[in-house]
mmCIF file of all heavy atoms in Angstrom:
data_model
loop_
_atom_site.group_PDB
_atom_site.id
_atom_site.type_symbol
_atom_site.label_atom_id
_atom_site.label_comp_id
_atom_site.label_asym_id
_atom_site.label_seq_id
_atom_site.Cartn_x
_atom_site.Cartn_y
_atom_site.Cartn_z
ATOM 1 N N ASP A 295 105.032 90.373 90.361
ATOM 2 C CA ASP A 295 105.421 89.340 89.412
ATOM 3 C C ASP A 295 104.163 88.847 88.698
ATOM 4 O O ASP A 295 103.373 88.097 89.259
ATOM 5 C CB ASP A 295 106.110 88.187 90.154
ATOM 6 C CG ASP A 295 106.571 87.078 89.207
ATOM 7 O OD1 ASP A 295 106.406 87.224 87.986
ATOM 8 O OD2 ASP A 295 107.088 86.056 89.707
ATOM 9 N N LEU A 296 103.996 89.275 87.460
ATOM 10 C CA LEU A 296 102.784 88.925 86.712
ATOM 11 C C LEU A 296 102.789 87.476 86.229
ATOM 12 O O LEU A 296 101.755 86.977 85.781
ATOM 13 C CB LEU A 296 102.624 89.867 85.514
ATOM 14 C CG LEU A 296 102.343 91.333 85.857
ATOM 15 C CD1 LEU A 296 102.333 92.183 84.586
ATOM 16 C CD2 LEU A 296 101.010 91.469 86.591
ATOM 17 N N LEU A 297 103.938 86.796 86.306
ATOM 18 C CA LEU A 297 104.016 85.401 85.874
ATOM 19 C C LEU A 297 103.686 84.424 86.999
ATOM 20 O O LEU A 297 103.449 83.244 86.747
ATOM 21 C CB LEU A 297 105.418 85.101 85.317
ATOM 22 C CG LEU A 297 105.843 85.932 84.102
ATOM 23 C CD1 LEU A 297 107.250 85.539 83.674
ATOM 24 C CD2 LEU A 297 104.861 85.755 82.956
ATOM 25 N N SER A 298 103.671 84.920 88.225
ATOM 26 C CA SER A 298 103.368 84.045 89.362
ATOM 27 C C SER A 298 101.892 83.659 89.364
ATOM 28 O O SER A 298 101.034 84.404 88.880
ATOM 29 C CB SER A 298 103.706 84.761 90.670
ATOM 30 O OG SER A 298 103.284 84.007 91.791
ATOM 31 N N ARG A 299 101.605 82.496 89.919
ATOM 32 C CA ARG A 299 100.220 82.047 90.060
ATOM 33 C C ARG A 299 99.754 82.089 91.517
ATOM 34 O O ARG A 299 98.622 81.706 91.816
ATOM 35 C CB ARG A 299 100.077 80.618 89.516
ATOM 36 C CG ARG A 299 100.362 80.502 88.014
ATOM 37 C CD ARG A 299 100.114 79.084 87.525
ATOM 38 N NE ARG A 299 100.344 78.962 86.078
ATOM 39 C CZ ARG A 299 100.185 77.835 85.391
ATOM 40 N NH1 ARG A 299 99.812 76.724 86.029
ATOM 41 N NH2 ARG A 299 100.419 77.804 84.100
ATOM 42 N N LYS A 300 100.618 82.536 92.403
ATOM 43 C CA LYS A 300 100.280 82.563 93.819
ATOM 44 C C LYS A 300 99.233 83.642 94.098
ATOM 45 O O LYS A 300 99.287 84.739 93.535
ATOM 46 C CB LYS A 300 101.532 82.836 94.649
ATOM 47 C CG LYS A 300 101.317 82.689 96.152
ATOM 48 C CD LYS A 300 102.621 82.826 96.912
ATOM 49 C CE LYS A 300 102.392 82.675 98.419
ATOM 50 N NZ LYS A 300 103.657 82.797 99.191
ATOM 51 N N PRO A 301 98.249 83.359 94.946
ATOM 52 C CA PRO A 301 97.238 84.366 95.303
ATOM 53 C C PRO A 301 97.896 85.627 95.850
ATOM 54 O O PRO A 301 98.988 85.574 96.444
ATOM 55 C CB PRO A 301 96.398 83.670 96.380
ATOM 56 C CG PRO A 301 96.625 82.218 96.156
ATOM 57 C CD PRO A 301 98.024 82.084 95.649
ATOM 58 N N VAL A 302 97.248 86.761 95.650
ATOM 59 C CA VAL A 302 97.864 88.027 96.023
ATOM 60 C C VAL A 302 96.882 88.909 96.779
ATOM 61 O O VAL A 302 95.675 88.910 96.504
ATOM 62 C CB VAL A 302 98.385 88.752 94.757
ATOM 63 C CG1 VAL A 302 97.241 89.068 93.793
ATOM 64 C CG2 VAL A 302 99.116 90.032 95.103
ATOM 65 N N VAL A 303 97.409 89.657 97.747
ATOM 66 C CA VAL A 303 96.630 90.636 98.510
ATOM 67 C C VAL A 303 97.287 92.001 98.323
ATOM 68 O O VAL A 303 98.486 92.167 98.581
ATOM 69 C CB VAL A 303 96.580 90.285 100.014
ATOM 70 C CG1 VAL A 303 95.858 91.392 100.783
ATOM 71 C CG2 VAL A 303 95.886 88.958 100.233
ATOM 72 N N LEU A 304 96.525 92.972 97.871
ATOM 73 C CA LEU A 304 96.997 94.338 97.684
ATOM 74 C C LEU A 304 96.325 95.221 98.728
ATOM 75 O O LEU A 304 95.097 95.254 98.818
ATOM 76 C CB LEU A 304 96.662 94.836 96.275
ATOM 77 C CG LEU A 304 97.100 93.935 95.113
ATOM 78 C CD1 LEU A 304 96.566 94.487 93.791
ATOM 79 C CD2 LEU A 304 98.608 93.807 95.064
ATOM 80 N N ILE A 305 97.119 95.929 99.527
ATOM 81 C CA ILE A 305 96.580 96.715 100.640
ATOM 82 C C ILE A 305 97.047 98.153 100.503
ATOM 83 O O ILE A 305 98.247 98.436 100.526
ATOM 84 C CB ILE A 305 97.046 96.149 101.994
ATOM 85 C CG1 ILE A 305 96.723 94.653 102.094
ATOM 86 C CG2 ILE A 305 96.411 96.919 103.143
ATOM 87 C CD1 ILE A 305 97.422 93.953 103.241
ATOM 88 N N ALA A 306 96.103 99.084 100.364
ATOM 89 C CA ALA A 306 96.434 100.495 100.154
ATOM 90 C C ALA A 306 95.874 101.353 101.276
ATOM 91 O O ALA A 306 94.714 101.198 101.668
ATOM 92 C CB ALA A 306 95.888 100.975 98.809
ATOM 93 N N GLY A 307 96.687 102.264 101.756
ATOM 94 C CA GLY A 307 96.240 103.249 102.728
ATOM 95 C C GLY A 307 96.233 104.614 102.077
ATOM 96 O O GLY A 307 97.289 105.158 101.750
ATOM 97 N N GLY A 308 95.059 105.196 101.831
ATOM 98 C CA GLY A 308 94.959 106.520 101.230
ATOM 99 C C GLY A 308 95.598 106.583 99.864
ATOM 100 O O GLY A 308 95.363 105.747 98.994
ATOM 101 N N ILE A 309 96.480 107.574 99.679
ATOM 102 C CA ILE A 309 97.125 107.770 98.389
ATOM 103 C C ILE A 309 98.095 106.645 98.074
ATOM 104 O O ILE A 309 98.629 106.559 96.956
ATOM 105 C CB ILE A 309 97.824 109.148 98.353
ATOM 106 C CG1 ILE A 309 98.114 109.586 96.904
ATOM 107 C CG2 ILE A 309 99.099 109.120 99.180
ATOM 108 C CD1 ILE A 309 96.900 109.774 96.070
ATOM 109 N N GLY A 310 98.325 105.738 99.028
ATOM 110 C CA GLY A 310 99.121 104.542 98.772
ATOM 111 C C GLY A 310 98.493 103.650 97.718
ATOM 112 O O GLY A 310 99.105 102.679 97.265
ATOM 113 N N ILE A 311 97.281 103.987 97.299
ATOM 114 C CA ILE A 311 96.613 103.247 96.226
ATOM 115 C C ILE A 311 97.372 103.387 94.904
ATOM 116 O O ILE A 311 97.233 102.534 94.011
ATOM 117 C CB ILE A 311 95.159 103.740 96.054
ATOM 118 C CG1 ILE A 311 94.369 102.822 95.108
ATOM 119 C CG2 ILE A 311 95.134 105.167 95.550
ATOM 120 C CD1 ILE A 311 92.914 103.226 94.949
ATOM 121 N N THR A 312 98.185 104.424 94.760
ATOM 122 C CA THR A 312 98.811 104.731 93.468
ATOM 123 C C THR A 312 99.543 103.537 92.856
ATOM 124 O O THR A 312 99.207 103.107 91.754
ATOM 125 C CB THR A 312 99.750 105.939 93.593
ATOM 126 O OG1 THR A 312 99.025 107.032 94.156
ATOM 127 C CG2 THR A 312 100.271 106.350 92.237
ATOM 128 N N PRO A 313 100.558 102.946 93.516
ATOM 129 C CA PRO A 313 101.236 101.806 92.895
ATOM 130 C C PRO A 313 100.384 100.542 92.892
ATOM 131 O O PRO A 313 100.477 99.720 91.975
ATOM 132 C CB PRO A 313 102.497 101.629 93.749
ATOM 133 C CG PRO A 313 102.122 102.190 95.078
ATOM 134 C CD PRO A 313 101.196 103.329 94.790
ATOM 135 N N LEU A 314 99.541 100.377 93.898
ATOM 136 C CA LEU A 314 98.751 99.150 93.999
ATOM 137 C C LEU A 314 97.651 99.091 92.948
ATOM 138 O O LEU A 314 97.310 98.013 92.459
ATOM 139 C CB LEU A 314 98.162 99.029 95.411
ATOM 140 C CG LEU A 314 99.222 98.886 96.503
ATOM 141 C CD1 LEU A 314 98.578 98.890 97.884
ATOM 142 C CD2 LEU A 314 100.024 97.608 96.310
ATOM 143 N N LEU A 315 97.101 100.246 92.588
ATOM 144 C CA LEU A 315 96.108 100.262 91.526
ATOM 145 C C LEU A 315 96.747 99.889 90.193
ATOM 146 O O LEU A 315 96.137 99.204 89.373
ATOM 147 C CB LEU A 315 95.443 101.635 91.430
ATOM 148 C CG LEU A 315 94.295 101.737 90.423
ATOM 149 C CD1 LEU A 315 93.164 100.783 90.793
ATOM 150 C CD2 LEU A 315 93.774 103.166 90.336
ATOM 151 N N SER A 316 97.991 100.321 89.993
ATOM 152 C CA SER A 316 98.707 99.933 88.784
ATOM 153 C C SER A 316 98.895 98.416 88.737
ATOM 154 O O SER A 316 98.758 97.792 87.683
ATOM 155 C CB SER A 316 100.067 100.633 88.723
ATOM 156 O OG SER A 316 99.921 102.027 88.606
ATOM 157 N N MET A 317 99.218 97.821 89.881
ATOM 158 C CA MET A 317 99.369 96.371 89.948
ATOM 159 C C MET A 317 98.040 95.676 89.644
ATOM 160 O O MET A 317 97.985 94.693 88.890
ATOM 161 C CB MET A 317 99.867 95.955 91.333
ATOM 162 C CG MET A 317 101.250 96.439 91.686
ATOM 163 S SD MET A 317 101.728 95.872 93.339
ATOM 164 C CE MET A 317 103.246 96.808 93.592
ATOM 165 N N LEU A 318 96.969 96.189 90.243
ATOM 166 C CA LEU A 318 95.649 95.600 90.022
ATOM 167 C C LEU A 318 95.248 95.699 88.559
ATOM 168 O O LEU A 318 94.751 94.721 87.972
ATOM 169 C CB LEU A 318 94.611 96.294 90.909
ATOM 170 C CG LEU A 318 93.171 95.769 90.792
ATOM 171 C CD1 LEU A 318 93.083 94.317 91.246
ATOM 172 C CD2 LEU A 318 92.209 96.635 91.605
ATOM 173 N N ASP A 319 95.465 96.859 87.955
ATOM 174 C CA ASP A 319 95.120 97.032 86.545
ATOM 175 C C ASP A 319 95.936 96.093 85.664
ATOM 176 O O ASP A 319 95.438 95.549 84.671
ATOM 177 C CB ASP A 319 95.340 98.480 86.119
ATOM 178 C CG ASP A 319 94.257 99.415 86.648
ATOM 179 O OD1 ASP A 319 93.188 98.914 87.042
ATOM 180 O OD2 ASP A 319 94.484 100.641 86.654
ATOM 181 N N ALA A 320 97.208 95.897 86.018
ATOM 182 C CA ALA A 320 98.058 94.996 85.237
ATOM 183 C C ALA A 320 97.557 93.558 85.337
ATOM 184 O O ALA A 320 97.554 92.814 84.351
ATOM 185 C CB ALA A 320 99.504 95.090 85.723
ATOM 186 N N LEU A 321 97.110 93.157 86.513
ATOM 187 C CA LEU A 321 96.551 91.815 86.690
ATOM 188 C C LEU A 321 95.279 91.652 85.861
ATOM 189 O O LEU A 321 95.039 90.590 85.271
ATOM 190 C CB LEU A 321 96.267 91.553 88.172
ATOM 191 C CG LEU A 321 97.496 91.405 89.079
ATOM 192 C CD1 LEU A 321 97.084 91.461 90.547
ATOM 193 C CD2 LEU A 321 98.224 90.095 88.782
ATOM 194 N N CYS A 322 94.474 92.715 85.815
ATOM 195 C CA CYS A 322 93.253 92.669 84.997
ATOM 196 C C CYS A 322 93.595 92.604 83.512
ATOM 197 O O CYS A 322 92.993 91.833 82.760
ATOM 198 C CB CYS A 322 92.387 93.895 85.279
ATOM 199 S SG CYS A 322 91.690 93.972 86.951
ATOM 200 N N ASP A 323 94.569 93.397 83.092
ATOM 201 C CA ASP A 323 94.930 93.461 81.675
ATOM 202 C C ASP A 323 95.472 92.131 81.164
ATOM 203 O O ASP A 323 95.315 91.801 79.981
ATOM 204 C CB ASP A 323 95.971 94.567 81.437
ATOM 205 C CG ASP A 323 95.394 95.962 81.624
ATOM 206 O OD1 ASP A 323 94.152 96.091 81.600
ATOM 207 O OD2 ASP A 323 96.177 96.909 81.809
ATOM 208 N N THR A 324 96.141 91.392 82.052
ATOM 209 C CA THR A 324 96.689 90.087 81.652
ATOM 210 C C THR A 324 95.719 88.947 81.921
ATOM 211 O O THR A 324 96.060 87.783 81.756
ATOM 212 C CB THR A 324 98.006 89.814 82.401
ATOM 213 O OG1 THR A 324 97.790 89.903 83.822
ATOM 214 C CG2 THR A 324 99.080 90.820 81.998
ATOM 215 N N ASP A 325 94.499 89.310 82.363
ATOM 216 C CA ASP A 325 93.459 88.314 82.643
ATOM 217 C C ASP A 325 93.956 87.243 83.604
ATOM 218 O O ASP A 325 93.743 86.052 83.412
ATOM 219 C CB ASP A 325 92.965 87.677 81.342
ATOM 220 C CG ASP A 325 91.623 86.961 81.523
ATOM 221 O OD1 ASP A 325 90.884 87.332 82.453
ATOM 222 O OD2 ASP A 325 91.339 86.026 80.757
ATOM 223 N N SER A 326 94.648 87.699 84.652
ATOM 224 C CA SER A 326 95.181 86.775 85.652
ATOM 225 C C SER A 326 94.055 86.003 86.328
ATOM 226 O O SER A 326 93.009 86.562 86.669
ATOM 227 C CB SER A 326 95.970 87.555 86.709
ATOM 228 O OG SER A 326 96.386 86.706 87.757
ATOM 229 N N GLN A 327 94.277 84.714 86.513
ATOM 230 C CA GLN A 327 93.288 83.857 87.171
ATOM 231 C C GLN A 327 93.630 83.628 88.649
ATOM 232 O O GLN A 327 93.006 82.807 89.303
ATOM 233 C CB GLN A 327 93.206 82.509 86.440
ATOM 234 C CG GLN A 327 92.728 82.634 84.993
ATOM 235 C CD GLN A 327 91.382 83.331 84.888
ATOM 236 O OE1 GLN A 327 90.393 82.906 85.485
ATOM 237 N NE2 GLN A 327 91.350 84.426 84.111
ATOM 238 N N ARG A 328 94.617 84.355 89.145
ATOM 239 C CA ARG A 328 94.989 84.238 90.558
ATOM 240 C C ARG A 328 93.847 84.750 91.438
ATOM 241 O O ARG A 328 93.055 85.598 91.022
ATOM 242 C CB ARG A 328 96.247 85.060 90.838
ATOM 243 C CG ARG A 328 97.432 84.642 90.033
ATOM 244 C CD ARG A 328 98.490 85.727 89.930
ATOM 245 N NE ARG A 328 99.204 85.944 91.181
ATOM 246 C CZ ARG A 328 100.241 86.778 91.294
ATOM 247 N NH1 ARG A 328 100.656 87.462 90.240
ATOM 248 N NH2 ARG A 328 100.850 86.929 92.449
ATOM 249 N N GLU A 329 93.770 84.260 92.663
ATOM 250 C CA GLU A 329 92.844 84.835 93.636
ATOM 251 C C GLU A 329 93.435 86.168 94.090
ATOM 252 O O GLU A 329 94.573 86.218 94.561
ATOM 253 C CB GLU A 329 92.642 83.910 94.829
ATOM 254 C CG GLU A 329 91.643 84.458 95.842
ATOM 255 C CD GLU A 329 91.426 83.527 97.026
ATOM 256 O OE1 GLU A 329 92.061 82.450 97.068
ATOM 257 O OE2 GLU A 329 90.624 83.895 97.908
ATOM 258 N N ILE A 330 92.667 87.229 93.942
ATOM 259 C CA ILE A 330 93.175 88.576 94.199
ATOM 260 C C ILE A 330 92.249 89.300 95.165
ATOM 261 O O ILE A 330 91.033 89.367 94.944
ATOM 262 C CB ILE A 330 93.290 89.383 92.886
ATOM 263 C CG1 ILE A 330 94.208 88.664 91.888
ATOM 264 C CG2 ILE A 330 93.779 90.797 93.160
ATOM 265 C CD1 ILE A 330 94.107 89.205 90.480
ATOM 266 N N TRP A 331 92.836 89.850 96.222
ATOM 267 C CA TRP A 331 92.087 90.675 97.172
ATOM 268 C C TRP A 331 92.693 92.076 97.155
ATOM 269 O O TRP A 331 93.918 92.233 97.212
ATOM 270 C CB TRP A 331 92.168 90.106 98.579
ATOM 271 C CG TRP A 331 91.336 88.868 98.774
ATOM 272 C CD1 TRP A 331 91.631 87.604 98.361
ATOM 273 C CD2 TRP A 331 90.061 88.794 99.425
ATOM 274 N NE1 TRP A 331 90.627 86.740 98.709
ATOM 275 C CE2 TRP A 331 89.639 87.439 99.372
ATOM 276 C CE3 TRP A 331 89.221 89.731 100.049
ATOM 277 C CZ2 TRP A 331 88.433 87.008 99.913
ATOM 278 C CZ3 TRP A 331 88.020 89.302 100.600
ATOM 279 C CH2 TRP A 331 87.646 87.957 100.522
ATOM 280 N N PHE A 332 91.828 93.080 97.070
ATOM 281 C CA PHE A 332 92.280 94.465 97.070
ATOM 282 C C PHE A 332 91.606 95.201 98.224
ATOM 283 O O PHE A 332 90.375 95.326 98.258
ATOM 284 C CB PHE A 332 91.939 95.149 95.745
ATOM 285 C CG PHE A 332 92.529 96.525 95.594
ATOM 286 C CD1 PHE A 332 93.730 96.711 94.934
ATOM 287 C CD2 PHE A 332 91.877 97.643 96.116
ATOM 288 C CE1 PHE A 332 94.274 97.984 94.789
ATOM 289 C CE2 PHE A 332 92.412 98.910 95.988
ATOM 290 C CZ PHE A 332 93.614 99.084 95.319
ATOM 291 N N PHE A 333 92.416 95.684 99.173
ATOM 292 C CA PHE A 333 91.895 96.422 100.325
ATOM 293 C C PHE A 333 92.328 97.883 100.223
ATOM 294 O O PHE A 333 93.489 98.186 99.958
ATOM 295 C CB PHE A 333 92.451 95.836 101.632
ATOM 296 C CG PHE A 333 91.946 94.462 101.956
ATOM 297 C CD1 PHE A 333 92.593 93.339 101.448
ATOM 298 C CD2 PHE A 333 90.837 94.275 102.763
ATOM 299 C CE1 PHE A 333 92.145 92.061 101.743
ATOM 300 C CE2 PHE A 333 90.373 93.000 103.068
ATOM 301 C CZ PHE A 333 91.031 91.892 102.560
ATOM 302 N N LEU A 334 91.372 98.783 100.445
ATOM 303 C CA LEU A 334 91.659 100.220 100.459
ATOM 304 C C LEU A 334 91.114 100.826 101.732
ATOM 305 O O LEU A 334 89.936 100.642 102.067
ATOM 306 C CB LEU A 334 91.037 100.918 99.245
ATOM 307 C CG LEU A 334 91.108 102.452 99.246
ATOM 308 C CD1 LEU A 334 92.563 102.933 99.210
ATOM 309 C CD2 LEU A 334 90.326 103.036 98.073
ATOM 310 N N GLY A 335 91.961 101.549 102.447
ATOM 311 C CA GLY A 335 91.543 102.234 103.659
ATOM 312 C C GLY A 335 91.610 103.740 103.481
ATOM 313 O O GLY A 335 92.668 104.282 103.153
ATOM 314 N N VAL A 336 90.483 104.429 103.685
ATOM 315 C CA VAL A 336 90.413 105.891 103.612
ATOM 316 C C VAL A 336 89.489 106.379 104.729
ATOM 317 O O VAL A 336 88.845 105.572 105.415
ATOM 318 C CB VAL A 336 89.882 106.384 102.245
ATOM 319 C CG1 VAL A 336 90.871 106.043 101.138
ATOM 320 C CG2 VAL A 336 88.520 105.777 101.940
ATOM 321 N N LYS A 337 89.392 107.704 104.906
ATOM 322 C CA LYS A 337 88.532 108.237 105.962
ATOM 323 C C LYS A 337 87.049 108.036 105.647
ATOM 324 O O LYS A 337 86.279 107.534 106.455
ATOM 325 C CB LYS A 337 88.822 109.726 106.177
ATOM 326 C CG LYS A 337 90.144 110.015 106.858
ATOM 327 C CD LYS A 337 90.312 111.510 107.105
ATOM 328 C CE LYS A 337 91.615 111.803 107.821
ATOM 329 N NZ LYS A 337 91.794 113.258 108.077
ATOM 330 N N ASN A 338 86.639 108.451 104.455
ATOM 331 C CA ASN A 338 85.236 108.357 104.061
ATOM 332 C C ASN A 338 85.140 108.580 102.551
ATOM 333 O O ASN A 338 86.163 108.594 101.858
ATOM 334 C CB ASN A 338 84.366 109.359 104.837
ATOM 335 C CG ASN A 338 84.979 110.752 104.872
ATOM 336 O OD1 ASN A 338 85.306 111.311 103.830
ATOM 337 N ND2 ASN A 338 85.136 111.304 106.065
ATOM 338 N N ARG A 339 83.927 108.760 102.066
ATOM 339 C CA ARG A 339 83.738 108.871 100.624
ATOM 340 C C ARG A 339 84.470 110.069 100.028
ATOM 341 O O ARG A 339 84.866 110.046 98.862
ATOM 342 C CB ARG A 339 82.245 108.963 100.303
ATOM 343 C CG ARG A 339 81.961 108.893 98.797
ATOM 344 C CD ARG A 339 80.490 108.813 98.512
ATOM 345 N NE ARG A 339 80.228 108.744 97.073
ATOM 346 C CZ ARG A 339 79.034 108.616 96.535
ATOM 347 N NH1 ARG A 339 77.969 108.534 97.329
ATOM 348 N NH2 ARG A 339 78.885 108.565 95.239
ATOM 349 N N GLN A 340 84.655 111.135 100.791
ATOM 350 C CA GLN A 340 85.368 112.308 100.290
ATOM 351 C C GLN A 340 86.795 111.962 99.877
ATOM 352 O O GLN A 340 87.368 112.590 98.992
ATOM 353 C CB GLN A 340 85.393 113.408 101.351
ATOM 354 C CG GLN A 340 84.059 114.136 101.522
ATOM 355 C CD GLN A 340 84.165 115.281 102.497
ATOM 356 O OE1 GLN A 340 84.811 115.171 103.549
ATOM 357 N NE2 GLN A 340 83.523 116.393 102.170
#
Side-chain angles (χ1 to χ4, degrees):
D295 181 3
L296 293 175
L297 299 179
S298 173
R299 296 184 178 181
K300 188 174 180 180
V302 61
V303 175
L304 308 174
I305 307 167
I309 198 63
I311 190 177
T312 306
L314 296 175
L315 185 61
S316 295
M317 295 180 189
L318 180 63
D319 285 342
L321 291 167
C322 294
D323 291 342
T324 56
D325 197 24
S326 174
Q327 297 304 303
R328 300 159 72 175
E329 182 179 0
I330 302 166
W331 286 77
F332 188 95
F333 292 87
L334 172 63
V336 294
K337 288 183 178 180
N338 47 53
R339 188 173 180 177
Q340 285 185 319

